[in-house]
Amino acid sequence: AMMFPAAVIPGHTNWRLAAQHPAGSLKAAVDATRRANLMMSFGALVILAGSIFLLFAAMHRTRALAKMQMEFVAGVSHELRTPVSVICSAADNLAEGVVDGKAQVQNYGQMIRGEARRLASMVEQILLFSAGKQDMARYNLQPVDIVSVIEGVLRDTAPGIASAGMTLERAIDPDLPHVMADGGAVSRCLENLVSN
């Protein structure tokens, strides 16, 4: 409370005026206001720090996404290059008359057809992936004879392996059991593995 000096009015008794803030003393009111201002400033700083953290997190995520997109484009171009180069090489050999005999022409035709189908399948997978539609529901799971899948992949990739001057040794147990898988997806995975 704030006390003022006594006032003397002639003919009246002495009286005093006392003023008191609802919060108590004036010092307590100033301290309470100061605390409220500090809390508001602290809250604003916390919100500002949170905003800066979210901004940095968004920037980091954007950079990571850009890096993933660049890696995706590099991987796709590498995967597409293999069937395109095999098709071009086989077409050049056919056009220049390097291939002799009906059997060799058929072999080259089968190779071109296989690589073209592989290329078309890759393009389809890329479109599905880029549209965000690739998920487990798209796989056609059924019992697959894995030996025939492996043999088909080795047959399709044999010309590319031979043109690279390499040989492939294989030892496949003929009694391998059937597996629940998508034959096309397994075939594409094995083709990528062998061609790489």
Side-chain angles (χ1 to χ4, degrees):
M2 226 175 182
M3 298 294 290
F4 293 95
V8 179
I9 298 174
H12 296 293
T13 58
N14 290 347
W15 57 274
R16 270 186 204 275
L17 175 65
Q20 184 171 353
H21 194 278
S25 70
L26 190 59
K27 183 178 183 311
V30 169
D31 288 344
T33 304
R34 186 176 295 142
R35 274 195 302 273
N37 289 340
L38 283 174
M39 291 302 288
M40 286 176 46
S41 300
F42 181 73
L45 286 175
V46 167
I47 291 172
L48 181 62
S51 301
I52 291 172
F53 174 77
L54 290 175
L55 180 64
F56 277 113
M59 286 173 48
H60 177 71
R61 186 173 177 190
T62 303
R63 284 184 187 161
L65 182 60
K67 183 180 177 186
M68 283 174 50
Q69 287 174 335
M70 290 175 63
E71 289 172 356
F72 175 72
V73 169
V76 165
S77 62
H78 171 73
E79 293 300 325
L80 293 177
R81 194 174 295 133
T82 302
V84 168
S85 64
V86 170
I87 291 170
C88 290
S89 175
D92 287 344
N93 288 345
L94 285 171
E96 293 172 10
V98 174
V99 180
D100 289 333
K102 185 177 179 180
Q104 264 193 320
V105 170
Q106 280 185 327
N107 187 24
Y108 270 73
Q110 288 173 350
M111 178 174 52
I112 290 172
R113 181 174 59 199
E115 291 299 317
R117 286 180 179 164
R118 179 177 170 213
L119 187 59
S121 176
M122 284 182 181
V123 169
E124 185 65 29
Q125 290 296 316
I126 291 165
L127 291 174
L128 287 174
F129 181 78
S130 66
K133 296 178 182 175
Q134 189 175 25
D135 53 49
M136 287 299 291
R138 292 224 171 245
Y139 290 121
N140 182 17
L141 299 179
Q142 57 187 3
V144 174
D145 179 12
I146 200 69
V147 173
S148 66
V149 171
I150 294 171
E151 290 292 345
V153 167
L154 295 179
R155 184 179 57 252
D156 292 343
T157 56
I161 293 169
S163 67
M166 299 183 171
T167 58
L168 179 67
E169 295 181 15
R170 64 181 181 237
I172 304 170
D173 185 351
D175 297 325
L176 287 175
H178 283 61
V179 294
M180 288 298 290
D182 184 320
V186 171
S187 179
R188 284 190 297 275
C189 289
L190 289 174
E191 283 177 4
N192 287 342
L193 180 65
V194 171
S195 62
N196 285 331

